[in-house]
């Protein structure tokens, strides 16, 4: 099971709390997913009030506030500080967005904000790209977790750059890694775990599915399958066929 900033989480699935048809369906989806962490936007918390806060507490999972929708260092830092007061946790999923069409992280502002927040006692979960230099700078800034995107938020495209994600895993073997964003299918979640990632964070794929509860259950099973597959050490891909039944010892017919 993943360990983030010294805290062991019971599940490798992290699930968002936005976009569900109703609070009741969200709660049912969380139970079906067996997710260990709920990500919550401070803006959503503010809009729902105490009822939403009580619903999140009743999920009985760790809460990871995020700075979704922030476009500057100042905005992200201020939002994080407010979230710490509301949710009483040093954890923060740090998002600083550059482009509204792709919701691509502003990696320069991200590193700056991560440094400020780490120095202020936050335990930062940065939403970043799979660029190795950016990941290295985030670790230098005090982050102990990296959350590279699989694809743009809400796109459902899966893992756009498996090579890049595999490279992040290889270069930072001891750093907890989470694929964050872009997951659309259970097979995408399984693939992330097969690459050796410690967890997957998703929201839209479950919340906007025709049956969010059934999709949540499917994601939980896929995460587990991917974990088992990675632990089993999969065979490597080949360009040529390799017979499962060798020619040696084959019966010779006269």
């Amino acid at each position: 099971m993943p360990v983030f900033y010294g805290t062991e989480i019971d599940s490798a699935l992290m699930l968002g709390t936005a976009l569900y048809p109703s609070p009741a369906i969200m709660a049912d989806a969380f139970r079906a997913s067996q997710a260990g962490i709920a990500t919550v936007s401070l803006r959503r918390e503010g809009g729902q009030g105490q009822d939403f806060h009580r619903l999140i507490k009743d999920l009985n999972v760790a809460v990871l506030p995020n700075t979704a929708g922030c476009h500057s260092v100042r905005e992200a830092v201020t939002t994080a500080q407010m979230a710490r007061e509301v949710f009483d946790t040093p954890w923060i999923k740090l998002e600083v967005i550059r482009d509204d069409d792709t919701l691509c992280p502003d990696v320069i502002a991200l590193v700056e904000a991560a440094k400020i927040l780490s120095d202020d006692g936050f335990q930062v979960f940065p939403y970043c790209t799979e660029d190795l230099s950016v990941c290295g700078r985030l670790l230098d800034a005090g982050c102990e977790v990296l959350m590279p995107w699989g694809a743009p938020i809400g796109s459902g495209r899966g893992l756009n750059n498996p090579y890049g994600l595999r490279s992040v895993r290889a270069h930072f073997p001891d750093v907890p890694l989470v694929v964050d964003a872009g997951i659309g299918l259970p097979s995408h979640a399984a693939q992330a775990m097969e690459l050796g990632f410690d967890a997957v964070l998703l929201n839209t794929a479950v919340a906007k599915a025709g049956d969010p509860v059934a999709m949540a259950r499917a994601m939980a099973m896929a995460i587990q399958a991917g974990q088992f597959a990675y632990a089993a050490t999969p065979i490597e891909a080949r360009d040529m066929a390799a017979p499962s039944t060798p020619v040696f010892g084959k019966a010779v017919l006269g």
Side-chain angles (χ1 to χ4, degrees):
M1 293 295 103
V3 177
F4 301 127
Y5 292 99
T7 299
E8 184 173 0
I9 306 300
D10 291 336
S11 170
L13 179 57
M14 305 162 68
L15 194 58
T17 56
L19 305 175
Y20 291 86
S22 71
I25 291 177
M26 183 197 75
D28 288 343
F30 261 87
R31 283 189 284 269
S33 73
Q34 301 177 28
I37 292 177
T39 60
V40 181
S41 168
L42 184 64
R43 289 171 171 79
R44 181 168 174 77
E45 155 66 19
Q48 299 292 323
Q50 291 302 312
D51 289 341
F52 182 74
H53 199 185
R54 189 178 305 109
L55 176 61
I56 297 301
K57 290 184 67 175
D58 289 344
L59 295 175
N60 197 30
V61 298
V63 175
L64 176 62
N66 66 42
T67 62
C70 292
H71 289 75
S72 69
V73 173
R74 180 177 180 181
E75 186 180 13
V77 169
T78 300
T79 301
Q81 292 169 338
M82 294 170 63
R84 180 166 59 183
E85 295 300 319
V86 170
F87 296 103
D88 190 28
T89 176
W91 282 12
I92 191 72
K93 178 191 170 186
L94 179 61
E95 295 184 30
V96 187
I97 301 302
R98 173 65 179 178
D99 177 72
D100 285 331
D101 290 329
T102 64
L103 299 180
C104 179
D106 183 337
V107 295
I108 295 175
L110 182 67
V111 172
E112 182 180 347
K115 175 67 168 135
I116 293 171
L117 291 173
S118 294
D119 288 347
D120 191 28
F122 282 89
Q123 295 173 341
V124 181
F125 295 66
Y127 164 63
C128 60
T129 65
E130 69 276 23
D131 185 284
L132 293 177
S133 63
V134 171
C135 290
R137 289 187 181 277
L138 286 167
L139 295 175
D140 292 342
C143 299
E144 297 181 14
V145 178
L146 296 172
M147 302 178 68
W149 64 349
I153 294 172
S155 68
R157 295 182 59 86
L159 308 188
N160 273 352
N161 185 7
Y163 170 80
L165 293 172
R166 189 179 294 109
S167 296
V168 173
R169 177 73 286 171
H171 277 74
F172 306 108
D174 299 322
V175 176
L177 298 179
V178 181
V179 169
D180 178 14
I183 299 297
L185 295 169
S187 57
H188 300 156
Q191 184 183 12
M193 301 307 294
E194 289 166 4
L195 292 176
F197 276 69
D198 297 278
V200 170
L201 195 163
L202 56 91
N203 187 168
T204 308
V206 167
K208 300 296 286 184
D211 186 339
V213 177
M215 184 60 76
R217 187 174 297 111
M219 289 293 183
M221 297 171 69
I223 291 285
Q224 189 177 53
Q227 287 177 306
F228 285 150
Y230 179 73
T233 312
I235 64 171
E236 295 195 11
R238 297 169 51 97
D239 291 330
M240 300 295 291
S244 56
T245 302
V247 175
F248 181 77
K250 181 179 178 180
V252 178
L253 301 179

